[in-house]
Amino acid sequence: MTHNHMGYKSKNDCKVFLLCWMAYFSTYIGRLNFSAVIPEIQKSGIWSEAQIASVSSVFFVCYGVGQLISGILGDRADTRKMVFLGLFVSAICNVGGFLFQIYPVFLVLWALNGFVQSLVWTPILKIGSMQYDIETVNKFGVDMSTTVPLGTLLSYGLSLVTLLFCPWRFVFLTCGLFEAVVAFVWLLTTKPLLKKAEEKPEEEKKQEKIAAPPAASAKVTLKAMAVSGVLLMMIPIIIQGTLKDSVTQWVPAFFSGQFGSATTFSLALTMLLPIVNVTGAYFANALNHKLHNEMATSAVFFGLASLFLVILKFFGTKSMVLSLICMATVTNCMFAVNVMLITLVPLQFAKLGRVSTIGGALNAIAYVGCGALNLLAGKILEGDNGWSSLFVLWIILGALAIIFSLLIIPLWKRFLVKNREY
């Protein structure tokens, strides 16, 4: 009867998934709306390119740092209340963005928005691990990954519709109200559902404790990360985060600035990117089944992305269609790499009992690095050869990612072999 519950074993399990999906999905509504209104902010002239980039960067940095903190809190605090707090305060930050467009005030609001949004993901992972068995939790993780492209799509769509009728600051009000509604739906509906997961029979809890591996010490974990190449992976991870999120963020501004298209039309074009990106995870998974090495798979996608960045640099500014194809391919490839390095790599450390720790660390470094490099992007765009120079930076980053990926492949392969033998 699982077909009646979207593949989950009970109606309750299905409801928990849908609520978790909606909660994390809504965080994208309240974060990518800033990217959607960048062209309008540029036209208004109230902020410089560097200031616009710093707002985006402070979100990424605070979100990344928050990932580490929320991972620790998630093991101690009430996960249900953490998710509500993250969503509701994020909604308040968005409403604050509607009320205040003064740069220092908005910068603080968006920094807080980044931090509180980090309170949503790790509690949801914990809820999933408590609610589902081993077989179903993998399905839960895959299903949750669709929140990224679909959340991106709705964020741009909601922003587009708002801009058709209202000034750009109303985008933050619309998205803030959306998040607030989801926050209260979460708070009012999850308690009776999650109670079943939290009040498992004592015998079942004992079995789970026996099955769960003891967490390795910090020294053992750090050594495993070093010998497996995970420490070196942080460079490609930072780069994939930059190319995935930075490219997505600047797309509306690029079409508006280079081709003179209206902001609403630029957003309509940008909405094609997440539709394409849904396929990235499936392409990556199919290739990885053949290569059996996440780093080798990542190297292939970094190579493909770099090729299209070169095409974008030399030919993209002459054709809107070609630019869109290039950017869609780049973000699709980076979404594929993200699945490999942020999702699958940490799962290989299950025997050390450090999946969450390593996953949180890799996710954090991706966002902090992306935030720092995005500041550089803002400075570059203020120069005489703004977009051309930014494309060169992206190409250099792509080349570095390929080099590091190739260096890490043998280390990761050796680790996978030992891990299977263990």
Side-chain angles (χ1 to χ4, degrees), residues 280-354:
Y282 299 102
F283 287 144
N285 192 45
L287 181 60
N288 199 50
H289 276 308
K290 295 183 178 181
L291 298 180
H292 303 292
N293 188 309
E294 287 80 8
M295 282 312 309
T297 301
S298 298
V300 172
F301 282 100
F302 273 126
L304 183 61
S306 298
L307 173 62
F308 276 84
L309 284 172
V310 171
I311 296 173
L312 179 64
K313 165 66 175 69
F314 290 103
F315 306 104
T317 54
K318 301 175 183 178
S319 168
M320 183 182 294
V321 174
L322 182 59
S323 296
L324 185 63
I325 292 173
C326 289
M327 289 182 171
T329 303
V330 171
T331 54
N332 185 272
C333 289
M334 292 307 99
F335 189 73
V337 173
N338 183 272
V339 172
M340 290 294 106
L341 302 187
I342 302 297
T343 302
L344 297 188
V345 164
L347 289 176
Q348 296 297 333
F349 291 86
K351 292 177 181 178
L352 291 179
R354 289 293 187 179

Side-chain angles (χ1 to χ4, degrees), residues 176-342:
L177 292 176
F178 184 98
E179 274 195 293
V181 170
V182 174
F184 281 103
V185 169
W186 169 271
L187 185 67
L188 296 173
T189 60
T190 49
K191 188 173 183 179
L193 296 174
L194 297 182
K195 189 176 181 180
K196 295 180 181 180
E198 294 167 355
E199 297 182 355
K200 291 180 179 179
E202 286 300 318
E203 187 62 32
E204 187 176 341
K205 288 182 179 178
K206 290 179 181 178
Q207 290 177 358
E208 288 179 352
K209 289 180 180 179
I210 294 173
S217 66
K219 183 178 180 180
V220 171
T221 302
L222 189 62
K223 181 180 178 180
M225 292 175 70
V227 299
S228 65
V230 168
L231 293 181
L232 289 176
M233 278 183 206
M234 291 185 178
I235 301 299
I237 284 172
I238 289 173
I239 293 172
Q240 69 81 25
T242 300
L243 294 180
K244 178 172 67 72
D245 294 315
S246 188
V247 171
T248 300
Q249 173 185 295
W250 291 107
V251 166
F254 172 74
F255 285 125
S256 180
Q258 290 294 303
F259 301 105
S261 56
T263 301
T264 50
F265 181 71
S266 297
L267 285 176
L269 289 177
T270 307
M271 287 170 63
L272 295 174
L273 298 185
I275 296 174
V276 174
N277 290 346
V278 173
T279 64
Y282 299 102
F283 287 144
N285 192 45
L287 181 60
N288 199 50
H289 276 308
K290 295 183 178 181
L291 298 180
H292 303 292
N293 188 309
E294 287 80 8
M295 282 312 309
T297 301
S298 298
V300 172
F301 282 100
F302 273 126
L304 183 61
S306 298
L307 173 62
F308 276 84
L309 284 172
V310 171
I311 296 173
L312 179 64
K313 165 66 175 69
F314 290 103
F315 306 104
T317 54
K318 301 175 183 178
S319 168
M320 183 182 294
V321 174
L322 182 59
S323 296
L324 185 63
I325 292 173
C326 289
M327 289 182 171
T329 303
V330 171
T331 54
N332 185 272
C333 289
M334 292 307 99
F335 189 73
V337 173
N338 183 272
V339 172
M340 290 294 106
L341 302 187
I342 302 297

Side-chain angles (χ1 to χ4, degrees), residues 66-89:
Q67 286 283 342
L68 296 175
I69 298 173
S70 67
I72 297 172
L73 288 175
D75 289 330
R76 294 168 172 79
D78 186 324
T79 53
R80 180 173 153 270
K81 291 180 180 177
M82 277 183 67
V83 172
F84 171 75
L85 181 66
L87 293 176
F88 185 65
V89 177

